[in-house]
Amino acid sequence: MQGTITTTRREQVAIHTYTSPESGLAVNTHVIELASQLLILDTQYGLPFAVEAAEFAASLGKPITRVYVSHAHPDHFFGAGVFNTPVYALPSTREAIAAAGDVMLAGNKAAVGDFVPDKVTVPTIDVEPGVEVIDGVRFEFAAVTQTEAEAMLIIELANEGVVLAQDLVYDNLHLYLAEKHLAGWRTSVEELRSKGFTTVLPGHGAPGGPELYDYVLAYLDVAEPALANATNGAELKSTLLTAFPRAGGAGLLDIQNGYLFPTA
């Protein structure tokens, strides 16, 4: 296996976090194991890593009943078709993937070929924020807006002390700043921290605890003026690499610069 598995166990649920290697942007697929079924949250960018995550899920011997996509960035939905299961998303995420997914795929296909799939799997079932009990476990589905993405689904398991925060939180990787919602991002992280979850499962990097909030907030403190003052992508990248020399995910900086400085 090229990726890694980290398991978070609680009395009624086990969450197996598959983290791809750096070549897959260290993105996470969370396999939520309940008594009789599996739920998947996010599905990888690279096809080989989506296949690895799906094969791991199959090894657990329970059916996958739902796949959730947290937001409309390719590293979280390109692999959805591998799981061959109904795909759930916030309505705005479903609409964004339906409108722009094929364009995203064409651009990525031109760059990396068969590393990404041949077609986009568009979510078909809407997730509405609120509480749902699945296999006896209380899930709270929440939508946050204007953070790393325009809209993002996070899943709170308050009775277990666990939040699946997705790209609201990273663990020691460079943040993806291309949508420039840095003030909203900061506010949402601070609000989530106030809820007191002891285990935080990020969208990129290893699971951790509340210290992941501190990392994101510290990064945003540096990134906000750096983004405002940078005149080109090389300048922005240099500032962030210097400020966070031990952070992974440098490839995310190159991807975001393609959007922030498109004429370069």
Side-chain angles (χ1 to χ4, degrees), residues 187-238:
T187 296
S188 291
V189 169
E190 290 171 343
E191 289 176 352
L192 187 58
R193 179 166 60 180
S194 72
K195 295 185 177 182
F197 292 103
T198 55
T199 300
V200 181
L201 305 184
H204 295 261
E211 72 280 358
L212 301 190
Y213 304 137
D214 296 331
Y215 172 76
V216 173
L217 293 171
Y219 195 101
L220 292 172
D221 285 344
V222 172
E224 192 162 21
L227 183 60
N229 296 326
T231 58
N232 57 67
E235 180 183 344
L236 177 62
K237 182 177 180 179
S238 176

Side-chain angles (χ1 to χ4, degrees), residues 25-44:
L25 305 176
V27 68
N28 288 333
T29 294
H30 302 293
V31 181
I32 305 168
E33 183 180 2
L34 304 174
S36 67
Q37 61 189 291
L38 306 175
L39 314 179
I40 306 295
L41 177 58
D42 287 342
T43 64
Q44 295 295 313

Side-chain angles (χ1 to χ4, degrees), residues 12-14 32-39 57 60-66 133-137 139:
Q12 292 185 291
V13 62
I32 305 168
E33 183 180 2
L34 304 174
S36 67
Q37 61 189 291
L38 306 175
L39 314 179
L60 298 173
K62 297 177 182 179
I64 300 172
T65 58
R66 307 183 189 188
V133 176
I134 307 171
D135 246 5
V137 177
F139 287 74

Side-chain angles (χ1 to χ4, degrees), residues 148 167 169-176 202 204 215-216 252:
E148 193 240 32
D167 282 13
V169 178
Y170 290 40
D171 184 0
N172 196 35
L173 281 97
H174 290 284
L175 307 188
Y176 180 72
H204 295 261
Y215 172 76
V216 173
L252 288 165

